[in-house]
Amino acid sequence: MTDVADAVVPLAGGPTLPQERRVVTAIPGPRARALHERRTAAVASGIGSALPIEVVAAGGGVIVDSDGNSLIDLGSGIAVVNVGNAAPAVAQAVAAQAASFTHTCFMITPYSGYVQVCEQLNRLTPGTHAKKSALFNSGAEAVENAVKIARHATGRTAIVVMEHAYHGRTNLTMALTAKSMPYKAGFGPFAGDIYRVPMAYPYRWPGGPDASGLEAAAEVISDIHTTIGADRVAAILVEPIQGEGGFIVPGKGYLPALSEFCTENGIMFVADEIQTGFGRTGQWFACEDEHIVPDLITTAKGIAGGLPLAAVTGRAEVMDSVHVGGLGGTYGGNPVACAAALATIDMLEHGGLIADAQRLGAALRTRLDAMKARDRGIGDVRGRGLMQAIELVEPGTDRPDPDRVRAVLAACHAQGVVTLSAGTYGNVIRFLPPLVISEKLLHEGLDVVAEALAVTR
Ligand SMILES: *Cc1c(COP(=O)(O)O)cnc(C)c1O
């Protein structure tokens, strides 16, 4: 078999890559198609790929492929490379750590990077109370551990989750996730004592967007009292802005009402900030927007500039309720991932990136609002900062239009713009550019999106 990838001279990634969209072949091009053939033979088909190019370098706002195309990145590998791909500070920290030691297992022989990441999370997450953290490998693992901790701390077992929720793909987190296809179909039986309650979905709330927050919260509270029993509930688990479920921003008042209900009833309020965290929404964490102070908070994705790391951070007495040895994992808080996280946090705190997310987010909103004004197939524009989306519907109705989303994404991909879909009905296009993208490149990417919307109208 010929290995076409051998012929490719790998480019250095990072922000010094030419920040341009460059389409020199069909996308995917010949090298990408050759890789895809090998991939089809070697990789389980349950693992999909939205845009099957062959990446050779990435940085700033672009991804470069082996066919010489340079694509504008409006996805950040699903809200992961907030600080940019191959950010030099992250790459250097990773290289230095990898050269000194790559793993010892923190549960056997500890090291300072793990402790420093926990100190930073305890400092940066909402609330001035005493906090502690524990580190894991993936978002799903963090969510599972938050559930373990909430159950242990309260001595209760019921977990309340939302319509449209996404919390991962492991057995417990599949049960917490709402959408069947593709996440759950055929993979049961699922974990028990999990209850799904109404989400304040402003665009689709029968009483209208303004009423959605308080009305939905009242329904949740009523459901808990009538069908679960508040004294059985260990945790209410909620994404402050839903991710895979379609970037649903809960109506005002929903999160505060649930947080207050939790406090009154000895229930842990758990904020899943895995997609919303680390500056993505123009704040460190999305629950700051309504001044929510969660009892427990899960983080992952944007935490470490692309390396796998996740965390649970919470009230010290809650975190410490678990017996010694009750939490952990071989790789959790790997030293290389911790070094990357410390560099990432430093960039977010001192590089002006969160202000950039606000500034670029305002530009993004202006563009999306303008697209909606001339397109009756755009039902809703929503999100905050660099986590925003449009929901596509059949014109004049609120019936989801997933076919048009597929057509728009295909047109964007062919023109060298990486865009992602989302939503329970598959009818949402989400925008998650790196926080370091240039405003010029963001606009060029959105020009392509606008053109794709125009040709599919
Ligand atoms: C991605 C995501 C997860 C799961 O994270 P993995 O690292 O893929 O396991 C959980 N919750 C939310 C809100 C997410 O966006």
Side-chain angles (χ1 to χ4, degrees), residues 191-230:
D193 227 5
I194 289 161
Y195 303 88
R196 198 165 304 286
V197 296
M199 174 65 185
Y201 188 164
Y203 175 61
R204 293 184 180 277
W205 192 257
D210 293 341
S212 66
L214 294 180
E215 287 183 9
E219 286 190 17
V220 172
I221 291 166
S222 167
D223 282 2
I224 289 174
H225 282 310
T226 55
T227 67
I228 311 168

Side-chain angles (χ1 to χ4, degrees), residues 138-141 143 166-169 239 243-244 272 274-275 300-301:
S138 68
E141 210 189 335
V143 172
Y166 183 86
H167 298 293
R169 296 171 178 270
E239 299 154 87
E244 310 302 302
D272 182 347
I274 287 168
Q275 191 153 160
K301 293 197 167 95

Side-chain angles (χ1 to χ4, degrees), residues 3-8 28-36 54 65-68:
D3 189 349
V4 290
D6 285 349
V8 177
R31 285 182 189 280
R33 287 199 298 273
L35 178 68
H36 192 69
E54 180 188 8
D65 76 7
S66 59
D67 291 295

Side-chain angles (χ1 to χ4, degrees), residues 227-271:
T227 67
I228 311 168
D231 60 353
R232 287 193 53 243
V233 178
I236 295 180
L237 170 62
V238 58
E239 299 154 87
I241 297 178
Q242 290 185 318
E244 310 302 302
F247 283 25
I248 300 166
V249 183
K252 281 272 177 268
Y254 181 75
L255 297 175
L258 296 186
S259 167
E260 196 178 316
F261 177 76
C262 284
T263 305
E264 286 164 359
N265 290 277
I267 298 169
M268 296 293 113
F269 184 94
V270 185

